[in-house]
Amino acid sequence: MAAIWSICLGNLRRRKVQNSLIALLLLLSTLLINTAITVISNSENLYEDLHRETKGSHELLNLTTGLHDPQMVEKWWSAQKGVTASVLLPYKPLAGVIHEGEDIPNLYLYMMNTPDRPFGTDELVFAQGQETGHPEPGTIWIPTSLAYKYDVSVGDELQFKAGKQPLRLKVSAVVIDLALGGPFSTTARIWMNNTDYQHDLNSVQDTDSYLMGIRFDDYSQRAGYWERFESFLGTPFMEERTTFEEISAFYFIMNKIIGFVMSFLGVVMMLVALYTIGFTISDAILSNYKTIGIYKSLGLSSREIISTYIAQYSFLSLISLIPGLILSRFLSGVIIEQSLSFLKTDHSSTHIQGAGTEFIVGIGILLLILLVVWFYANKARSIQPMQAIRYGMSEAAYSRTTKRWHEERKRGKEFERWPVPWVIGIRNVTKNLKGSILMLVLTTVTSAVLVFGLVLLNSIYQMQETSPLWGYDSSDVVIMITNTSEFDREQVENDMGSDARVRNLNWIGYTIGVAPADQTRRSDPADSRAQSVNIPLTVVEGSMDEIGLASITGRNPHNRNEISIGINVSRELGKEVGDIVELYIEGEKHSFTVTGIYQSISNMSYQARVTSEVVHKLNRDAGYLNLNNIADSDEIVQELNDKYGTSIQAVKQQTLLDSVFKEAAAVLIIPMSILGLMFLLITCLIIYSTSRIHIRKEIKTYGIYKSIGLTSGTIRGALTWGIVLLSAFGAILGIFCGAYLLPGILRDLLSSYGIIKLPLLMHWTGISLLALLSVSVAGSGCWMASRIIRSNSPRILVTE
């Protein structure tokens, strides 16, 4: 046993750089893998815990059109056993809010008449401010999605466009509104005092709209409840209905993307670490072949020699895995706090769960490492003491080496016409084949990480160029109607029609279409009964083509009997272009021919588009302007807001996109930057270590080169250019993987969110620069490793 520990400690001392590098690789791969698992599992756990604590809704009903009596709906659901129904939450819709003199764009408001608490479902959690039964007169509660995103604090004043004079209210509390306050939300519930609501919002809308939450004791039984409810109504439910999947989806999307990237790259880094371990053990056995033969001749068994490697890498694994698991908790906390910041309060911190998972991950990685070590160390069993002492290798290997030496002498004549530095660089790459493969893989992976991060972030920042493929329009200016009672549509149309800068103006409104149960093919996993599907409809007055709405298959509707449907509606109804879809709209049944299928990140593609002739009364929510010169957009926006500011909010389309997707870019930029720096560091260190090992093996050869006139700089440059050429091939492969392979895998992840064709923008200048960066890092690692050639004289090198 003493001999085993002595050999093990000797290996640790002699190969400090290699051992340190392997320990770092294991630490980082453990960090990435465990962080990915922790982020994904904790995101769902945090949401589900809060959803359970606040009695979160499984479905949210929005009663706005008067097609069903709200009191009757509330009474029926309240009477059902196994169902918790909220009280009716009256509200009036509004758009347009000002904070510190600046308009907050792209935000639709539900001005709530706050009832007595508890509501029954979706209880509010106070994140800032004092918890009270109702907002005091002149004050409001706002959701964290509004407060944190636009830096609104308790005590700040918000101005709402609710008439000729803005309605001024102070924020008395910030609350977590789980149902409507998720990431990327463009809707916010503003909780008002009853007196303020009754007095200040009379001009907004004559009648109240209502929200109502439903929570099932057994979620799998919801299909049966809905079947009975619609039987009670005598028709499908015609109002807006939001399911639990839609409510919760965007709480998880960013962490799923981050988790996917980290887990994928963590596995790649672990494979690199295992390959490096195998490469190092193989190299150590070959380098110490004669020594191992002597050990065996002195009485050490093969099992004891293998045990020295197992002991060595068990030690390295333990000193790497434990810090990796600890650091992953901190990194996970940072990512979760940033991506789920809307669930954070001033008096509570994010509690990371999963100690059991960390233990399983650590044990699993340790066992995998030891299995690889055992597999490669087993090569020591075949060492015969006499052959090892005589040849320094097996007799068969000695014969192959002698034969190869003669062949290389013959083949060397082929290189006589090549410049000497070229021959040195190529020979360094081809002779050290395993190390060269490792370098190629590393530069490929590093380039792929850098390119993928750039492509993803650039596509989000420049989303205006591909907005139709994300389900948005491509207009230049959007006119959001903030107060319908004061909005003068004819005046706006006349002004825009006579303005030479404006090319066209189209209007959009929204309503609900319902596909009856016999049209759907969706079934509950525990219940074969199909349900009716409530589909948000984008209703266009004008031309969808002019607005810039796009389809991935087919075209936009042009006539009243045509419809374009989102990809998830297509899946759920089993409809393709040319099929017939029957929908109830405003209580009437309509038949449509599907002319197009489109994708949209909004509503997860659970939506459709029809022309305005379908509806009897279109409530126009927004107008979409295209200009002859986009440079005029700032001027047009300013003029519209100055003239119609009490009833509209005019913004550039880029402003609307930024208000949603800059949030995504901010969440992604930290983990993607960390990953890029990690892989650059690992690439440099591994190439340094691998090159150093090979240079030490060939040190006598380089001494001979120096003795016949080659300078240290020439030799180092030749070695470096050989590695640069190799890494250039890796960078080219990395560009392909980062620009096409990784986005393809990510597209599969986003498919459930309604995106099946990922709209990416290739910034080829940036991609080329990042690929060159990975090549430069590889070259730097080799250049640093070759310093030993410069620091020793030819005589010493030859003597060695």
Side-chain angles (χ1 to χ4, degrees):
M1 192 66 183
I4 292 174
W5 283 113
S6 178
I7 296 171
C8 175
L9 292 174
N11 290 337
L12 290 171
R13 282 195 301 269
R14 283 194 302 273
R15 296 173 176 267
K16 294 185 183 71
V17 175
Q18 273 184 302
N19 291 327
S20 300
L21 177 60
I22 290 171
L24 180 61
L25 273 172
L26 294 175
L27 186 151
L28 293 179
S29 54
T30 303
L31 172 65
L32 289 180
I33 293 172
N34 195 63
T35 298
I37 294 172
T38 303
V39 165
I40 294 173
S41 62
N42 275 269
S43 298
E44 296 183 2
N45 290 339
L46 286 170
Y47 177 83
E48 289 171 359
D49 289 346
L50 192 59
H51 190 265
R52 183 172 55 255
E53 290 172 11
T54 60
K55 299 180 182 178
S57 297
H58 288 130
E59 293 188 340
L60 197 64
L61 309 185
N62 192 359
L63 304 159
T64 60
T65 61
L67 293 174
H68 303 290
D69 180 8
Q71 281 71 28
M72 180 188 67
V73 171
E74 189 269 341
K75 184 178 179 180
W76 191 92
W77 281 105
S78 298
Q80 302 305 304
K81 291 182 179 180
V83 175
T84 302
S86 73
V87 297
L88 286 174
L89 301 172
Y91 76 92
K92 292 186 178 181
L94 202 63
V97 58
I98 300 171
H99 177 237
E100 295 182 347
E102 296 289 334
D103 282 328
I104 295 178
N106 199 25
L107 190 63
Y108 292 92
L109 306 171
Y110 291 167
M111 309 300 289
M112 310 298 298
N113 184 6
T114 309
D116 294 332
R117 299 170 60 207
F119 303 150
T121 66
D122 299 315
E123 303 298 343
L124 302 177
V125 176
F126 282 72
Q128 295 178 7
Q130 185 177 358
E131 182 173 353
T132 57
H134 298 85
E136 297 296 323
T139 69
I140 51 174
W141 301 337
I142 65 171
T144 52
S145 56
L146 168 58
Y148 295 166
K149 190 174 180 180
Y150 295 102
D151 198 22
V152 183
S153 302
V154 171
D156 289 359
E157 182 183 79
L158 295 179
Q159 300 178 37
F160 300 92
K161 297 182 179 181
K164 293 183 179 179
Q165 295 297 322
L167 172 60
R168 301 173 183 270
L169 297 169
K170 282 193 174 182
V171 178
S172 62
V174 176
V175 297
I176 297 176
D177 187 353
L178 206 61
L180 290 174
F184 315 114
S185 175
T186 57
T187 303
R189 290 198 281 194
I190 308 297
W191 302 88
M192 298 180 65
N193 178 273
N194 175 64
T195 303
D196 295 334
Y197 180 89
Q198 299 294 346
H199 181 267
D200 296 324
L201 296 182
N202 290 330
S203 62
V204 174
Q205 184 174 294
D206 294 335
T207 59
D208 287 339
S209 296
Y210 294 91
L211 285 168
M212 179 182 170
I214 301 171
R215 180 178 176 83
F216 302 100
D217 292 349
D218 184 355
Y219 185 58
S220 65
Q221 300 300 313
R222 66 192 183 281
Y225 285 105
W226 273 98
E227 186 179 52
R228 293 194 295 273
F229 177 55
E230 292 186 334
S231 176
F232 164 75
L233 293 176
T235 66
F237 180 69
M238 303 289 181
E239 303 274 11
E240 184 178 352
R241 171 188 171 195
T242 307
T243 65
F244 175 71
E245 289 76 15
E246 295 172 276
I247 293 171
S248 61
F250 289 100
Y251 282 98
F252 307 140
I253 184 171
M254 293 310 302
N255 284 346
K256 283 186 177 179
I257 293 174
I258 294 169
F260 151 72
V261 174
M262 283 193 160
S263 58
F264 179 82
L265 297 178
V267 169
V268 170
M269 189 175 285
M270 179 58 69
L271 292 176
V272 170
L274 295 176
Y275 183 88
T276 304
I277 289 172
F279 168 76
T280 304
I281 292 173
S282 298
D283 177 73
I285 290 174
L286 291 175
S287 300
N288 299 297
Y289 206 92
K290 182 179 290 188
T291 304
I292 295 172
I294 294 171
Y295 289 157
K296 283 192 169 186
S297 68
L298 293 175
L300 279 179
S301 66
S302 296
R303 179 180 298 177
E304 288 173 319
I305 292 172
I306 292 170
S307 297
T308 63
Y309 293 104
I310 292 177
Q312 175 185 343
Y313 287 99
S314 295
F315 173 74
L316 290 177
S317 299
L318 289 175
I319 65 172
S320 304
L321 296 182
I322 294 173
L325 294 173
I326 293 171
L327 288 173
S328 73
R329 291 187 70 85
F330 291 103
L331 182 58
S332 302
V334 171
I335 294 173
I336 291 171
E337 287 244 354
Q338 189 173 17
S339 58
L340 293 180
S341 60
F342 297 163
L343 304 183
K344 185 173 60 174
T345 70
D346 282 356
H347 45 79
S348 66
S349 58
T350 303
H351 177 63
I352 304 298
Q353 303 174 356
T357 304
E358 290 174 359
F359 179 77
I360 292 171
V361 170
I363 292 297
I365 292 175
L366 179 61
L367 291 176
L368 181 62
I369 293 168
L370 295 181
L371 180 63
V372 171
V373 172
W374 176 83
F375 176 80
Y376 280 96
N378 241 357
K379 294 180 180 180
R381 288 185 184 277
S382 61
I383 296 178
Q384 301 297 321
M386 294 303 296
Q387 293 180 9
I389 294 170
R390 181 176 182 182
Y391 300 117
M393 61 186 72
S394 67
E395 189 172 359
Y398 179 76
S399 299
R400 287 196 300 270
T401 303
T402 305
K403 183 179 179 181
R404 191 184 305 123
W405 182 73
H406 289 295
E407 290 176 353
E408 286 180 354
R409 286 189 64 187
K410 295 177 182 178
R411 194 163 55 242
K413 296 179 180 180
E414 300 173 9
F415 293 97
E416 289 179 354
R417 297 180 182 178
W418 289 30
V420 172
W422 287 28
V423 176
I424 294 173
I426 293 172
R427 184 176 181 274
N428 178 57
V429 171
T430 55
K431 188 172 183 179
N432 183 27
L433 191 58
K434 288 185 179 179
S436 298
I437 292 173
L438 179 59
M439 295 179 196
L440 182 68
V441 171
L442 274 172
T443 49
T444 299
V445 174
T446 302
S447 299
V449 172
L450 296 174
V451 169
F452 176 67
L454 174 68
V455 169
L456 186 60
L457 290 172
N458 181 62
S459 299
I460 293 174
Y461 272 109
Q462 302 295 327
M463 189 169 282
Q464 188 178 22
E465 297 183 28
T466 58
S467 58
L469 295 178
W470 291 95
Y472 297 98
D473 63 281
S474 62
S475 302
D476 299 321
V477 174
V478 179
I479 302 172
M480 299 171 61
I481 301 171
T482 59
N483 193 333
T484 54
S485 61
E486 295 191 4
F487 177 64
D488 190 341
R489 177 196 171 196
E490 291 184 4
Q491 182 64 44
V492 171
E493 288 182 338
N494 290 336
D495 289 347
M496 296 300 98
S498 60
D499 195 324
R501 298 169 296 179
V502 178
R503 188 163 72 247
N504 53 61
L505 169 62
N506 298 278
W507 299 96
I508 280 184
Y510 299 91
T511 190
I512 296 296
V514 181
D518 58 8
Q519 283 267 319
T520 71
R521 62 180 184 185
R522 178 174 67 174
S523 61
D524 189 273
D527 195 327
S528 61
R529 290 169 289 190
Q531 301 180 60
S532 60
V533 180
N534 296 64
I535 305 170
L537 299 179
T538 300
V539 185
V540 177
E541 184 179 68
S543 170
M544 294 186 196
D545 297 327
E546 289 181 354
I547 291 174
L549 301 178
S551 299
I552 56 174
T553 304
R555 60 170 176 81
N556 286 317
H558 296 154
N559 304 308
R560 66 173 295 145
N561 64 338
E562 295 178 341
I563 190 171
S564 179
I565 58 178
I567 184 65
N568 275 334
V569 173
S570 172
R571 290 168 176 166
E572 197 150 336
L573 301 184
K575 302 296 182 181
E576 299 293 338
V577 173
D579 292 343
I580 302 298
V581 172
E582 293 184 345
L583 296 179
Y584 285 94
I585 302 174
E586 295 179 329
E588 297 181 4
K589 194 171 185 179
H590 298 262
S591 291
F592 300 97
T593 300
V594 178
T595 62
I597 297 173
Y598 66 95
Q599 62 180 19
S600 174
I601 194 70
S602 176
N603 290 106
M604 299 170 63
S605 290
Y606 283 108
Q607 54 183 228
R609 298 166 180 164
V610 295
T611 62
S612 60
E613 290 84 2
V614 176
V615 299
H616 297 298
K617 182 181 179 182
L618 175 63
N619 294 319
R620 300 168 188 84
D621 291 301
Y624 293 79
L625 285 172
N626 286 310
L627 309 180
N628 292 314
N629 186 351
I630 194 173
D632 295 326
S633 56
D634 288 315
E635 188 177 0
I636 291 284
V637 165
Q638 186 64 46
E639 291 175 4
L640 286 168
N641 284 325
D642 289 343
K643 187 170 183 178
Y644 302 100
T646 59
S647 61
I648 70 162
Q649 182 185 55
V651 292
K652 295 191 297 183
Q653 190 230 24
Q654 181 67 56
T655 303
L656 297 180
L657 293 174
D658 288 348
S659 68
V660 176
F661 291 101
K662 283 294 178 68
E663 178 185 341
V667 172
L668 281 173
I669 196 167
I670 291 178
M672 293 307 300
S673 300
I674 291 173
L675 288 173
L677 290 173
M678 274 186 183
F679 274 89
L680 285 172
L681 175 64
I682 289 299
T683 298
C684 184
L685 290 176
I686 288 184
I687 290 178
Y688 170 82
S689 176
T690 307
S691 299
R692 184 185 173 102
I693 292 170
H694 188 64
I695 289 170
R696 283 191 177 278
K697 285 182 179 180
E698 300 291 321
I699 200 69
K700 185 182 292 187
T701 304
Y702 299 138
I704 295 171
Y705 291 161
K706 289 183 74 173
S707 68
I708 61 176
L710 290 180
T711 65
S712 297
T714 302
I715 299 171
R716 294 178 71 193
L719 297 175
T720 301
W721 278 110
I723 299 302
V724 166
L725 183 63
L726 177 70
S727 61
F729 285 112
I732 293 170
L733 290 173
I735 289 174
F736 171 79
C737 293
Y740 300 104
L741 180 61
L742 286 176
I745 300 173
L746 179 61
R747 182 181 62 244
D748 294 337
L749 178 69
L750 292 176
S751 176
S752 61
Y753 288 87
I755 298 295
I756 60 172
K757 292 185 178 179
L758 198 59
L760 296 177
L761 291 172
M762 301 297 172
H763 191 282
W764 289 109
T765 301
I767 289 172
S768 301
L769 290 174
L770 289 178
L772 286 175
L773 177 61
S774 65
V775 172
S776 301
V777 166
S780 300
C782 181
W783 180 261
M784 289 187 292
S786 64
R787 283 182 300 181
I788 188 174
I789 298 174
R790 183 190 63 185
S791 60
N792 289 296
S793 68
R795 179 180 297 175
I796 295 173
L797 293 173
V798 172
T799 301
E800 289 181 355

